Amino acid sequence: MRAHLIAGNWKMNKTPSETEVFLARFLPLVSQAEPEIVLLPAFPSLHRAGCLLCKTNVRLGAQDLHPEPRGAFTGAVSAEMLIDCGCRYVLVGHSERRHVFGESNALVRCKLEAAVSGGLHPILCVGETLAERRAGETESVLQTQLGSDLADLSARSFPHLVVAYEPVWAIGTGETATTRQAQDAAAWIREWLRRELGASAGETIRILYGGSVKPDNAAELLALPDVDGVLVGGASLDPVGLAQIVAEARA
Ligand code: PEP
């Protein structure tokens, strides 16, 4: 049985001071919690969050990284910098990076490689737009994204990898996928992982669902056989709400 992972993507929200206020409220609520919890604050909050989380059961992650280890890339942040702030996880290929910042599958692939070789656990986000779902293209979109993003990834990377199914039409819209849609997509991804990366990768790689997860729909999503956790955006900004979601998860 794969342990659940509950990840909170804060996007461009919360200053370092607000991060501290959040943690003062959140940490006592989850100090006994056993599922894996990851918070993904914005870059400026990482260092302070890393100091506050280092002796807790809550892990730290970043929302993005640059594929190169160093150099003339103004505004960018490397895997080594994230590790030094205390990060263990990093989002790669979030739909806002793909659609707002125009990241291609080729770039996502390079970032994934940089994350793994830098010692981070990538949370690879994949998912279709509403137009693609309506056109019956969900599986072909997932196939293209997974095939390109994970092409030739070495087997030693598999234990570190997490895949998040995030239908673009459900992110920040208040519209959640039905349990049937979430389970069908997660099962399809697991079958793809089994077929392309091997049986063991298919069994062990965790698949999250993301898209308007809230305290009142988390339990039914977390009960799905192929959903091993949730990636929570807006609802993760509230410490009490996020703790309620954590309480629905299994260790
Ligand atoms: C996300 O940012 O990954 C996300 C799922 O956002 P929201 O929960 O707000 O839909």
Side-chain angles (χ1 to χ4, degrees):
M1 192 59 103
R2 295 169 295 269
H4 276 149
L5 190 159
I6 309 296
N9 173 18
W10 289 358
K11 314 191 188 209
M12 197 172 72
N13 293 293
K14 295 196 191 294
T15 62
S17 310
E18 289 166 342
T19 298
E20 210 166 314
V21 172
F22 176 99
L23 292 178
R25 184 84 174 94
F26 181 65
L27 290 175
L29 299 176
V30 298
S31 62
Q32 307 297 323
E34 304 215 321
E36 196 171 359
I37 306 167
V38 184
L39 293 178
L40 305 142
F43 288 143
S45 296
L46 286 178
H47 182 257
R48 202 176 303 183
C51 295
L52 293 166
L53 293 179
C54 69
K55 293 204 171 74
T56 75
N57 58 339
V58 177
R59 301 194 200 284
L60 186 65
Q63 298 171 20
D64 188 30
L65 84 167
H66 193 275
E68 294 299 328
R70 67 192 59 80
F73 302 104
T74 302
V77 170
S78 71
E80 188 185 2
M81 293 169 185
L82 299 179
I83 294 268
D84 200 55
C85 287
C87 289
R88 175 179 293 218
Y89 285 90
V90 64
L91 291 181
V92 179
H94 188 276
S95 72
E96 286 149 19
R97 299 299 315 175
R98 292 181 191 264
H99 297 284
V100 181
F101 295 91
E103 291 192 3
S104 64
N105 278 319
L107 180 57
V108 171
R109 173 74 186 82
C110 292
K111 289 187 172 192
L112 199 101
E113 184 76 51
V116 172
S117 55
L120 290 161
H121 296 229
I123 302 176
L124 171 67
C125 303
V126 292
E128 80 289 359
T129 63
L130 188 56
E132 289 163 341
R133 175 162 281 270
R134 286 191 175 141
E137 292 168 357
T138 299
E139 291 175 1
S140 67
V141 170
L142 296 178
Q143 164 102 29
T144 303
Q145 291 177 336
L146 291 168
S148 162
D149 301 345
L150 299 178
D152 305 322
L153 199 69
S154 73
R156 70 181 169 80
S157 319
F158 302 161
H160 305 285
L161 179 66
V162 176
V163 176
Y165 169 62
E166 296 213 301
V168 180
W169 47 271
I171 297 180
T173 58
E175 191 176 340
T176 318
T178 62
T179 49
R180 176 77 189 269
Q181 289 168 326
Q183 168 56 25
D184 284 354
W188 190 93
I189 291 170
R190 191 168 308 290
E191 192 44 45
W192 186 94
L193 294 171
R194 261 195 209 110
R195 194 173 61 243
E196 302 295 329
L197 306 185
S200 150
E203 282 317 310
T204 54
I205 292 176
R206 284 179 290 182
I207 301 172
L208 313 184
Y209 167 79
S212 297
V213 175
K214 300 181 198 69
D216 61 5
N217 61 19
E220 59 183 18
L221 290 160
L222 288 166
L224 298 171
D226 285 297
V227 171
D228 308 314
V230 284
L231 177 51
V232 189
S236 72
L237 296 169
D238 168 31
V240 176
L242 185 59
Q244 283 167 356
I245 294 172
V246 168
E248 303 293 350
R250 68 163 180 264

